[in-house]
Amino acid sequence: MYIYRLRHIYDNADYDLPAPLTLGYFSEPSKANEAIEHYRTLPGFQDYPNGFIIEECALGAVDSMPQVVYEAYFSFSDEEKIYDYSGEIGVYTSEQDAKKAVSNFKRMNRNNIMKSILNQEIECYSYEINKQEGEWCKTGDGSVIDPS
Amino acid sequence: MELYCLEHIEDKGLYRNVELKRIGYFSSLEKAESTIRYFKTLNGFCNSPNGFIIRQVLFQDVTAMEYVYELEQQIHDTDYYYWYEKTLGIYASLSECEEAEKRFLLLNENSFSRFELISELFINCLKVDEYSSFWGEGFDTCVGGK
């Protein structure tokens, strides 16, 4: 089963750009396109109306469309956030699986990147499927799972 | 089955555009760790010995893999002042990867036709349990990359 992640990038700015923002996860491409039309009406997004990217994400063996997905990710940065690198660990249908993936990532990298001097964030965020926010909010519903 | 993806970033915070170096995919955590020990001796990598990242990648309904196929998107301006890359998916066969590429282009045909940055898609093929020859001799940190 696939779900569809909607991202946005500042596609015509002439300055140093951040990585794309995740805006949400959708059950069908048509729902992601509806969300794009909504976001295009909002301040900020109006200036970059063509910067939306839809990505498919495989959920593996699941019987039905989940109501919530959990994105596990890592981010490494310096104090000034001049240096900032983030990546995805995975997208999961249960909080338990997401926490397990975060723990595995920490275990595998305790002698590698986690020994670096960079600031580290290795966390999960929950996203309600097909939810459109009135304003951009990284967490969808604002909740942060404590992976500890 | 599961593979272990090994990557490297320079962890000294020298550059705004962090370059991710994909070293390879390995069939066991031990093989990935052994490769790290070797790469720590190479030019460039030895200056950021803690910059290695291991990620576990799961493949449904796959029991053996000789090659991995990555679908990668690069977004950049004409001067490469802004540059961003993302792996959109990792596949066990070239045909699966090509199908995913077609679906991605179809999903985004309205956006990309009006995109003011350059968006390019690449398919990378890497042999499991072999490191990328591109980084096999290290890299020169003085010029910010190989």
Side-chain angles (χ1 to χ4, degrees):
Chain A
M1 180 182 291
Y2 290 113
I3 57 170
Y4 299 89
R5 173 168 46 207
L6 178 60
R7 293 188 175 219
H8 183 262
I9 191 167
Y10 302 89
D11 71 315
N12 60 354
D14 56 0
Y15 54 84
D16 220 0
L17 298 171
L21 310 170
T22 297
L23 298 175
Y25 286 83
F26 298 88
S27 58
E28 298 166 32
S30 60
K31 292 192 182 295
N33 280 312
E34 285 172 18
I36 289 173
E37 292 310 313
H38 169 69
Y39 278 107
R40 278 183 176 149
T41 65
L42 301 180
F45 294 107
Q46 290 172 346
D47 300 326
Y48 307 97
N50 300 318
F52 295 93
I53 301 171
I54 303 172
E55 301 169 4
E56 68 177 21
C57 301
L59 286 181
V62 291
D63 296 330
S64 60
M65 180 60 63
Q67 293 187 328
V68 178
V69 290
Y70 302 85
E71 185 183 85
Y73 78 98
F74 60 84
S75 175
F76 299 97
S77 62
D78 61 9
E79 290 294 336
E80 293 82 25
K81 293 268 182 182
I82 294 170
Y83 177 98
D84 191 357
Y85 177 72
S86 58
E88 180 187 312
I89 299 171
V91 179
Y92 306 90
T93 55
S94 80
E95 184 177 338
Q96 187 182 11
D97 287 347
K99 284 183 176 179
K100 187 177 168 189
V102 166
S103 297
N104 279 345
F105 183 87
K106 288 180 175 177
R107 178 178 51 80
M108 288 189 298
N109 290 288
R110 63 181 184 270
N111 294 319
N112 302 313
I113 190 69
M114 293 184 69
K115 284 176 73 178
S116 78
I117 58 172
L118 298 169
N119 295 328
Q120 303 170 12
E121 260 186 80
I122 305 165
E123 293 186 35
C124 312
Y125 282 98
S126 61
Y127 291 86
E128 192 174 325
I129 298 285
N130 294 334
K131 186 169 185 179
Q132 291 180 26
E133 292 296 319
E135 57 182 11
W136 174 70
C137 175
K138 188 175 182 182
T139 60
D141 62 0
S143 62
V144 180
I145 301 164
D146 178 3
S148 60
Chain B
M1 71 174 291
E2 59 194 30
L3 293 179
Y4 296 86
C5 173
L6 177 59
E7 300 166 332
H8 182 269
I9 56 170
E10 289 173 72
D11 67 347
K12 300 293 196 298
L14 297 175
Y15 310 108
R16 171 61 185 86
N17 288 331
V18 181
E19 184 180 18
L20 178 76
K21 298 174 181 68
R22 180 74 38 77
I23 294 171
Y25 289 84
F26 299 88
S27 56
S28 71
L29 185 56
E30 291 71 26
K31 286 180 180 174
E33 289 171 338
S34 169
T35 305
I36 289 175
R37 286 194 288 278
Y38 170 65
F39 268 71
K40 279 183 177 178
T41 67
L42 299 178
N43 192 34
F45 293 101
C46 64
N47 296 323
S48 292
N50 296 324
F52 294 92
I53 301 171
I54 301 174
R55 282 195 269 192
Q56 190 181 49
V57 185
L58 298 173
F59 295 87
Q60 299 284 338
D61 306 321
V62 178
T63 53
M65 288 174 69
E66 190 177 359
Y67 293 94
V68 167
Y69 299 86
E70 297 177 322
L71 179 58
E72 179 184 288
Q73 183 186 26
Q74 291 186 6
I75 299 171
H76 57 87
D77 59 13
T78 51
D79 300 326
Y80 283 84
Y81 178 67
Y82 174 73
W83 183 74
Y84 171 79
E85 68 175 351
K86 183 170 192 310
T87 302
L88 298 170
I90 305 166
Y91 305 91
S93 73
L94 178 58
S95 60
E96 278 181 80
C97 194
E98 288 174 336
E99 287 302 313
E101 180 182 31
K102 285 179 196 166
R103 291 195 301 271
F104 181 74
L105 288 171
L106 194 60
L107 280 172
N108 293 283
E109 60 182 347
N110 291 331
S111 291
F112 290 164
S113 62
R114 291 176 288 187
F115 221 45
E116 295 197 27
L117 291 168
I118 298 162
S119 171
E120 296 179 289
L121 293 179
F122 297 91
I123 292 178
N124 305 317
C125 176
L126 294 100
K127 191 165 188 183
V128 175
D129 288 334
E130 284 188 8
Y131 58 76
S132 165
S133 58
F134 194 75
W135 302 115
E137 294 180 5
F139 63 95
D140 182 358
T141 53
C142 294
V143 295
K146 186 163 180 173

